[in-house]
Amino acid sequence: MKSFDMDILRILPRSLWVTTCNSGSCNGCDIEVVATLGPRYDIERFGMKLVGTPRHADVLIVTGPVTHFMHEKLKRIYHQMPDPKVVVVVGNCGCSGDVFYKSYNLDGPVDNIIPVDVYVHGCAPRPEAVIEGVTKAVLKLEGLGKKPDKKEEAQEAEAMKEAEAAGGVAL
Amino acid sequence: MSTTYTIPVGPVHVGLKEPITAWLELEGERIVNARVRPGAIHRGIEFMARERNPIQVIYLSERICGICSFSHVICFIRAVEDLAQMNVPVRGQYIRSLVLELERVHSHLLWSGVACYTIGFDSAFHLGMQMRERVMDVLELLSGNRVNYGVATFGGVRWDVTPELEKALRGMVRYYRQEFTPFREIVMEDPVAQARMRNVGVLTRDEAVRYSAVGPTARASGLRIDLRKSSPYEAYADFDVEPVVPQDYFGEAHGDVLDRFAVRVLEVYQSLDIIEKILDGLPEGPFVEEANLNKVMASLKKADGTGWGIIEAPRGDDTHIVSLKGGVDNVLWWKVRAPTYANAVSWPIMFRGNELADAPLIINSIDPCISCMERMLVTDEREYRSEVVTRSELVKRSRQKTFELGSLKSKYVPGGGAEQ
Amino acid sequence: MTSKFKKMAVDCETLVAALKAKFADDIVRLDVREHRGGSLNEVQSRDLWIEISRTAFRPFLDFLFEYDFVDFHVISGDDVGIADAVQTQTQSQAQDQNPDGQNQEKPQEDSVLLHYHFSLFQRSRCGRMGVTLSVRVPKGDLSVPSIFDLLPGSEYSEREMHEMLGVEFVGLPNSALVFLPEDWNEEIKPWRRDGVGPALEALRELS
């Protein structure tokens, strides 16, 4: 399953399907993600659309500093997404924790738990920044189409193995 | 042999302290029982505050919830002002009330848009989102940010109302007076939308009292409570704010989703009136008692005791209790009760007797936070088989029901008939 | 008895006088705070802060429920430990002008202070009165009667206080965890300031 079809990678970045996961954010980033769907920012101009399930998605938008409860769920969502996939973290707290520190119930930031490709800073980032972040995901996928990165593939294979060991993909 | 299914509704659940997992017990399509378990997104904010001083906690409290962030800030600040006996200049009070009302407008618009999305009324959702951008522009003009405004501080506010902002505000009020009525009519006078929301998720007045429902949820059940009337804070002391209850407009309160929709929509008009009154009566003078934060910090260090702040946030009353200890920089302890914390207790009652397809609408109806349901796990207990029902499928079911109603429209008489 | 609409709305002074008459011996502390606001800076609402002895807790609530409907907000609480108990004792002694200052009537017990927040008389303009009822619960016997039968809306608050401070609510049908994750070690009570609180190593800095 690791041999990416070059044709797929040429076509795929033209219409990315995005799913979101709130791992403990204040909702501020999530309303900005909703605003990008709205008529003013209209993310569908770029062929992107929000889907409800990770199994249909190419891009995962994660918000929030990852609570202990959400740790396993976030991993599971990540492993449910088909390859190739891109993870975009939206908001300062998912990138670095920001105001959330010294808590007994936080396992974040997000890159402690799953590999992250794009960081969108801001508290909360403007819809334009969210759009920019997701379009950077296109660049990553296009890059994959040109020259498969051996190292990343190895990493992802490892992650898959880990998931299988944890029973994460069994669902 | 009864064949009930148990369906957990979404551990992945957006919100602050009120992310809810609900186990719905179903008999066929009908919900016979519901259990609710919050806690997915418990960040331990109240615990974190013990390591910070009150000024740092302002910005932490802003990040409790991104939608009603200003309500939480004002509530926290009022609790501290209560215990430290601080004064707020009248202009500062007016600006606080102004931002609170702007926040109510944007929260209610967002909610009515999302409620339309849940029942499959996509054009109304986009209409709602487009209208909401106007109030976001005004908030951005005031504070420079769209979500966490950072406007309030102890003893006043940080940003003043400039002539430019006043002009934008008046333009916004005019815009909404013109544009909001069509939106209301499109949704509330649509027979399918009426049929979809009428008599769904009913909470009676007595249940609302017993289960301590707050805000629009309580008012939709006919409970005439609004803290802006019963204990006016900030600039509301100068205006008469009457609680919006459905019986005043439609003759009777059903306590269902349509009533909750109506209460929120009518509150938008009320907020517009209040914004105009605030602009007309905005007094001259300072907008903050003491702008030097070091001095504020020094006086807060001396403060000792427990304070209680309570305000009417868009979703209901928001309660913060703060305790400071003399000679200590940090907050001793802090308790936040967001409105959904109170309203979520009445979910199990609202669910009873409704259909699975109504579950997203009922969860949304108390305005827990925008996108409640991320995904669901359906467990068939007879065959020990699990399958994942995604949010999109659940929303699809919800929408399917609307379309079926739509095709039956000619035969279907919406229960109640609110507009008659 | 549950919370219901009643016609009995009284003003602050009358309520305070009635409470003092009925619970004279059990009231540890009673304050009235006024909230002012608006351009005229008039009193807009009042808060009543009452600390009451543990034995009088339920009778006090039953009395409060005679009035216009009691709206429950939340329970808050703190692990006050020993020091605060001593401080309260000295303060109350100073107030009482108690000649034998060494009396042991108020034992210096390690305790948790719970605050119940209610609202009364919400129907008239500026009529609302906030009532904060505080109860000191010693850690030796960390339990109070549940108010779930009076107000089912208190369920989450009671469960939260159970998981955060370890207070037992007698008569609460379901005292499972509310906000803490399922795999949480229930021995650890996050808001406690003694050995039962979370260990320093358990606190994450994130960045």
Side-chain angles (χ1 to χ4, degrees):
Chain A
M1 73 187 288
K2 283 284 110 183
S3 57
F4 295 142
D5 187 350
M6 289 302 155
D7 283 343
I8 289 177
L9 278 168
R10 253 203 320 277
I11 299 159
L12 180 78
R14 292 184 193 167
S15 172
L16 293 182
W17 286 16
V18 183
T19 190
T20 61
C21 172
N22 176 335
S23 71
S25 95
C26 70
N27 240 343
C29 300
D30 301 79
I31 47 174
E32 293 301 69
V33 170
V34 172
T36 56
L37 300 171
R40 183 183 285 184
Y41 297 100
D42 195 10
I43 200 170
E44 290 191 24
R45 285 178 295 159
F46 304 105
M48 294 172 195
K49 87 177 219 197
L50 198 69
V51 291
T53 162
R55 291 181 193 279
H56 298 163
D58 310 305
V59 178
L60 174 64
I61 291 183
V62 189
T63 56
V66 194
T67 60
H68 183 71
F69 186 101
M70 292 301 300
H71 187 140
E72 287 306 315
K73 276 115 193 150
L74 180 61
K75 264 191 186 164
R76 207 160 87 188
I77 288 171
Y78 177 77
H79 291 305
Q80 280 174 355
M81 288 171 61
D83 277 321
K85 58 194 165 194
V86 180
V87 177
V88 181
V89 178
V90 172
N92 280 352
C93 56
C95 296
S96 65
D98 201 27
V99 293
F100 303 117
Y101 54 87
K102 287 204 182 157
S103 171
Y104 49 82
N105 204 28
L106 294 180
D107 286 3
V110 178
D111 52 11
N112 269 358
I113 290 139
I114 52 173
V116 175
D117 301 292
V118 185
Y119 297 87
V120 180
H121 281 276
C123 189
R126 295 182 53 85
E128 289 94 331
V130 177
I131 294 172
E132 195 202 359
V134 183
T135 45
K136 281 201 174 136
V138 177
L139 297 181
K140 180 204 168 175
L141 291 174
E142 279 174 359
L144 281 181
K146 282 168 198 145
K147 195 172 63 181
D149 189 338
K150 287 275 178 326
K151 199 173 140 203
E152 202 154 334
E153 257 182 49
Q155 267 178 3
E156 294 208 347
E158 203 177 296
M160 282 305 291
K161 239 183 260 166
E162 200 182 287
E164 269 155 25
V169 280
L171 256 175
Chain B
M1 190 184 119
S2 80
T3 48
T4 56
Y5 300 71
T6 305
I7 300 190
V9 179
V12 178
H13 199 329
V14 191
L16 82 115
K17 266 189 65 125
E18 48 296 343
I20 308 280
T21 314
W23 285 271
L24 305 179
E25 221 173 280
L26 297 180
E27 222 176 76
E29 282 280 306
R30 206 148 279 280
I31 301 167
V32 289
N33 204 355
R35 267 181 312 128
V36 172
R37 174 27 165 127
I41 299 179
H42 173 72
R43 289 162 289 179
I45 282 194
E46 289 138 325
F47 180 83
M48 283 186 237
R50 295 178 174 194
E51 296 284 331
R52 296 158 205 231
N53 66 42
I55 291 172
Q56 287 172 309
V57 175
I58 295 180
Y59 302 98
L60 186 62
S61 66
E62 200 158 51
R63 281 149 185 87
I64 290 173
C65 175
I67 301 173
C68 43
S69 59
F70 194 72
S71 305
H72 281 291
V73 173
I74 289 297
C75 204
F76 169 74
I77 286 177
R78 282 186 61 81
V80 174
E81 284 168 355
D82 176 30
L83 81 91
Q85 304 287 312
M86 286 170 133
N87 284 322
V88 183
V90 185
R91 191 177 174 90
Q93 296 182 12
Y94 269 69
I95 297 174
R96 282 183 182 185
S97 294
L98 174 72
V99 184
L100 284 171
E101 289 308 319
L102 288 174
E103 191 168 80
R104 195 180 315 275
V105 170
H106 103 69
S107 172
H108 284 351
L109 281 174
L110 181 72
W111 180 83
S112 31
V114 170
C116 293
Y117 174 80
T118 317
I119 60 169
F121 203 161
D122 265 2
S123 41
F125 163 68
H126 286 289
L127 197 57
M129 290 305 290
Q130 188 173 19
M131 283 200 296
R132 181 173 166 271
E133 289 298 330
R134 188 72 187 246
V135 58
M136 299 309 283
D137 284 347
V138 172
L139 282 166
E140 199 183 343
L141 190 63
L142 170 72
S143 67
N145 205 353
R146 284 166 55 96
V147 176
N148 299 317
Y149 319 116
V151 170
T153 187
F154 295 117
V157 289
R158 293 176 56 220
W159 305 110
D160 200 2
V161 173
T162 57
E164 189 194 7
L165 181 71
E166 193 181 330
K167 202 177 151 211
L169 276 164
R170 291 202 190 269
M172 183 201 87
V173 171
R174 261 199 312 279
Y175 170 81
Y176 281 131
R177 288 246 165 85
Q178 230 170 46
E179 300 289 321
F180 194 64
T181 307
F183 172 76
R184 194 203 66 190
E185 283 167 359
I186 284 169
V187 182
M188 292 199 52
E189 284 169 22
D190 182 72
V192 180
Q194 275 184 26
R196 193 68 179 75
M197 295 194 274
R198 181 53 84 202
N199 293 328
V200 168
V202 175
L203 186 72
T204 63
R205 194 177 79 159
D206 281 348
E207 282 164 348
V209 173
R210 272 163 50 79
Y211 286 83
S212 310
V214 295
T217 312
R219 289 195 280 275
S221 299
L223 212 52
R224 212 178 278 275
I225 52 169
D226 191 326
L227 289 169
R228 291 176 293 173
K229 181 190 181 191
S230 63
S231 62
Y233 49 93
E234 315 294 5
Y236 300 116
D238 294 351
F239 319 124
D240 221 351
V241 182
E242 272 305 308
V244 176
V245 281
Q247 63 261 40
D248 290 354
Y249 294 86
F250 312 120
E252 131 182 63
H254 295 261
D256 55 14
V257 179
L258 189 62
D259 276 355
R260 278 169 224 145
F261 195 97
V263 166
R264 289 201 173 86
V265 163
L266 293 167
E267 277 184 6
V268 171
Y269 290 107
Q270 191 188 32
S271 291
L272 295 177
D273 290 345
I274 296 173
I275 289 170
E276 274 200 332
K277 277 184 202 162
I278 289 173
L279 287 177
D280 291 339
L282 193 66
E284 292 299 320
F287 52 86
V288 63
E289 184 90 351
E290 175 58 69
N292 184 339
L293 284 182
N294 289 327
K295 284 187 188 159
V296 174
M297 197 55 232
S299 71
L300 284 177
K301 201 173 169 178
K302 288 187 212 123
D304 193 298
T306 308
W308 180 8
I310 179 162
I311 65 161
E312 188 76 27
R315 297 150 194 196
D317 68 69
D318 188 11
T319 299
H320 283 219
I321 302 106
V322 184
S323 193
L324 299 181
K325 202 176 165 79
V328 179
D329 274 346
N330 291 346
V331 171
L332 187 64
W333 58 267
W334 177 32
K335 176 82 198 80
V336 180
R337 204 242 28 210
T340 309
Y341 187 111
N343 282 335
V345 187
S346 33
W347 259 336
I349 304 156
M350 294 183 197
F351 278 132
R352 251 163 240 172
N354 286 291
E355 289 177 14
L356 176 61
D358 295 325
L361 187 61
I362 294 169
I363 290 187
N364 259 327
S365 74
I366 68 161
D367 193 0
C369 266
I370 48 148
S371 52
C372 287
M373 209 142 337
E374 209 62 20
R375 49 199 287 280
M376 297 173 54
L377 188 72
V378 175
T379 315
D380 186 335
E381 285 180 339
R382 286 168 305 174
E383 294 174 32
Y384 303 100
R385 175 174 62 87
S386 291
E387 58 171 312
V388 170
V389 177
T390 60
R391 179 178 77 173
S392 55
E393 280 166 64
L394 194 66
V395 172
K396 211 190 281 168
R397 280 199 198 194
S398 173
R399 291 168 160 223
Q400 185 65 36
K401 190 178 169 190
T402 308
F403 294 137
E404 280 163 16
L405 281 178
S407 57
L408 292 172
K409 190 167 62 179
S410 48
K411 285 176 258 168
Y412 194 91
V413 183
E419 266 64 45
Q420 277 91 59
Chain C
M1 187 193 300
T2 57
S3 195
K4 274 187 194 143
F5 277 105
K6 297 202 180 67
K7 294 287 175 204
M8 229 169 118
V10 293
D11 60 7
C12 185
E13 289 76 21
T14 320
L15 181 68
V16 170
L19 290 174
K20 276 188 178 159
K22 196 156 164 60
F23 297 96
D25 302 333
D26 298 305
I27 294 176
V28 182
R29 185 171 53 87
L30 194 151
D31 294 330
V32 178
R33 279 191 212 165
E34 292 177 342
H35 292 283
R36 290 167 182 277
S39 46
L40 298 174
N41 208 26
E42 286 171 342
V43 175
Q44 303 295 343
S45 65
R46 289 181 179 82
D47 280 350
L48 197 59
W49 294 73
I50 305 172
E51 186 178 336
I52 199 156
S53 66
R54 203 167 89 169
T55 46
F57 173 66
R58 263 317 271 259
F60 185 93
L61 278 181
D62 288 338
F63 183 71
L64 206 61
F65 274 65
E66 293 294 313
Y67 290 91
D68 187 17
F69 85 102
V70 177
D71 195 7
F72 169 78
H73 295 292
V74 74
I75 307 173
S76 63
D78 186 34
D79 177 357
V80 288
I82 302 168
D84 197 60
V86 175
Q87 203 186 8
T88 316
Q89 190 186 10
T90 48
Q91 274 175 3
S92 65
Q93 277 167 2
Q95 280 167 5
D96 295 344
Q97 301 289 320
N98 197 340
D100 25 292
Q102 297 301 314
N103 72 344
Q104 293 298 308
E105 274 183 12
K106 279 182 194 157
Q108 302 178 6
E109 265 182 302
D110 197 3
S111 50
V112 167
L113 190 60
L114 289 180
H115 308 280
Y116 287 69
H117 304 274
F118 302 100
S119 285
L120 290 171
F121 321 140
Q122 290 200 66
R123 280 188 278 174
S124 57
R125 184 169 159 80
C126 304
R128 176 184 160 271
M129 198 156 91
V131 178
T132 301
L133 181 62
S134 311
V135 194
R136 196 175 291 271
V137 195
K139 281 185 193 162
D141 173 25
L142 211 47
S143 69
V144 282
S146 165
I147 60 167
F148 181 77
D149 53 332
L150 294 173
L151 285 165
S154 68
E155 185 190 345
Y156 282 175
S157 277
E158 296 195 340
R159 281 165 69 183
E160 188 184 21
M161 287 303 129
H162 174 69
E163 68 184 9
M164 296 297 178
L165 288 165
V167 180
E168 285 295 332
F169 289 88
V170 180
L172 181 66
N174 176 9
S175 55
L177 294 178
V178 198
F179 295 115
L180 296 174
E182 282 118 344
D183 56 352
W184 184 260
N185 175 7
E186 290 197 39
E187 304 275 290
I188 298 173
K189 306 290 181 189
W191 292 0
R192 289 278 282 269
R193 293 173 201 273
D194 48 17
V196 194
L200 272 179
E201 311 84 79
L203 306 184
R204 293 281 326 280
E205 281 285 357
L206 296 203
S207 54

